[in-house]
Structure formats: C-alpha cells, structure tokens
Amino acid sequence: MMKKIALVLLVGAAIFTGCSSSKTVTRVDSDSQIDLSGRWNDTDSRLVAEEMVRDGLSRVWVTDFVEENGKKPTVIVGIIRNKTSEHISTETFTNDIEREFINSGKVRVVQGGEEREELRKERADQQEFASAATTKRWGMERGADFILQGTVSSVTDSNGKQSLLFYQTDLELTHLETNEKVWIGSKKIKKVIN
C-alpha cells in the first residue's frame, strides 16, 4: 500500500513539474551580438559580409572599371559553398552580401539563382496576360560584369570542455567576359568555447 502511495505521489510530482516549467522569451535588438553555442550565427554572417564587401569595394578594380567604362560595375552574387560540418545558411550570407553591395552605391546588383528564374516566369506570364502597355520585354535584363563566388570552411579542435572553432570565408570576384579575378578576400574568425 505504501509503495502505491509513493508511486502516485511521484507521478503527481512529475506531472506538476512538467506543467509548471515554462520558457521565457525576450525580444532583443536584431543587431545585438549573442553567442549561445559559439557556432556560426547571424552576427558572423552580417559582420563578415560587411567587412568583406567594404574591403572589396575599396580596391582598385572599382575605379578601374568606372574609368574604362564610364559606369558602375554590375555584380551578381553566385554560389557561396558551405564546406563546414555545420548547417550554415549561405542564403542569409548571400543576402547580407547583396545588401552591403547595394547600400554602398558603388555597384549595381542583379538577381541570380532561383529568384532570377521566378522573374523570368513572371515575365513570360506577362506576355500572355498583361496589357501591352505594361508588359515587360524580353532581352532587357542587365548583364552582370562580375560574379562573386566563395566558400565558408571551418576547423574544430577540442580538449576536455574547451573547444576552438575556426571559420574562414574566402570570396573571389571574377570578370565574366575575361575570367580575370579582380579581387580575392579572406576573413577568419576564431572562437574559444569554455
């Protein structure tokens, strides 16, 4: 009988504990730096994009292009490969890079990847369903002068409870007609987790 009472009390305590636990959610500034695990996060993506685009746009290729062509260069952001063992949203990183390019005012950015295909489908749809006065024409896309491609790689080392995470982002900007590389940038991040 005592065992049954103890079992009932134990189950009741477990149910009470389970029902009473709750999570606390606090909204914070989206620009605040918060590292919970030490792994690549939104702050790394934003800071690396800002620093690398700033470096790339400070190089001579921009002024050379403007002097030779009398216009701002047009850039397309190509594939950024994730070569780490983690899930890293390269789409977020690509968006951060595109935002920095556009906000700099020094280059034009054209759409690429799946989004470009969606634009073309919409244009095709307009040929049939939009009025002639508002239909957007084929063959009027702005061709990119340069493509940005790159990789994010990492190395992990650990000893006991201490871990070291090392990330390296390498980006290259290549002229689409000549295949000439006009800028190569690299950004390294090292984190020690105790």
Side-chain angles (χ1 to χ4, degrees), residues 83-169:
K83 291 190 171 180
T84 73
S85 58
E86 301 173 27
H87 170 72
I88 291 178
S89 173
T90 54
E91 185 178 351
T92 301
F93 186 48
T94 299
N95 291 340
D96 287 337
I97 291 171
E98 288 181 333
R99 186 190 63 246
E100 291 303 313
F101 270 138
I102 293 169
N103 291 344
S104 75
K106 293 183 177 179
V107 298
R108 296 176 185 272
V109 176
V110 292
Q111 193 66 270
E114 293 178 3
E115 287 78 10
R116 181 173 57 193
E117 294 309 311
E118 185 179 5
L119 288 171
R120 289 175 178 167
K121 285 181 182 176
E122 171 59 25
R123 197 174 300 124
D125 192 68
Q126 286 188 5
Q127 308 307 311
E128 188 172 353
F129 298 105
S131 68
T134 60
T135 299
K136 302 303 176 281
R137 295 174 288 165
W138 289 109
M140 300 302 290
E141 293 181 15
R142 180 180 295 278
D145 302 300
F146 299 93
I147 185 168
L148 184 78
Q149 298 165 303
T151 59
V152 180
S153 54
S154 69
V155 175
T156 304
D157 190 18
S158 62
N159 184 17
K161 292 182 178 180
Q162 192 172 52
S163 298
L164 172 72
L165 293 175
F166 174 78
Y167 297 97
Q168 179 165 329
T169 304

Side-chain angles (χ1 to χ4, degrees), residues 4 6 8 19 21 23 25 32 55 110 117 131 136 141 146 188-189:
K4 284 184 180 179
V8 168
C19 294
S21 65
K23 291 183 179 178
V25 177
S32 58
D55 178 64
V110 292
E117 294 309 311
S131 68
K136 302 303 176 281
E141 293 181 15
F146 299 93
K188 298 170 184 174
I189 299 173

Side-chain angles (χ1 to χ4, degrees), residues 35-55:
D35 280 305
L36 297 178
S37 67
R39 297 188 180 278
W40 177 278
N41 60 23
D42 64 312
T43 301
D44 297 318
S45 176
R46 179 174 48 82
L47 294 179
V48 169
E50 288 174 2
E51 187 170 325
M52 295 193 78
V53 169
R54 190 181 317 118
D55 178 64

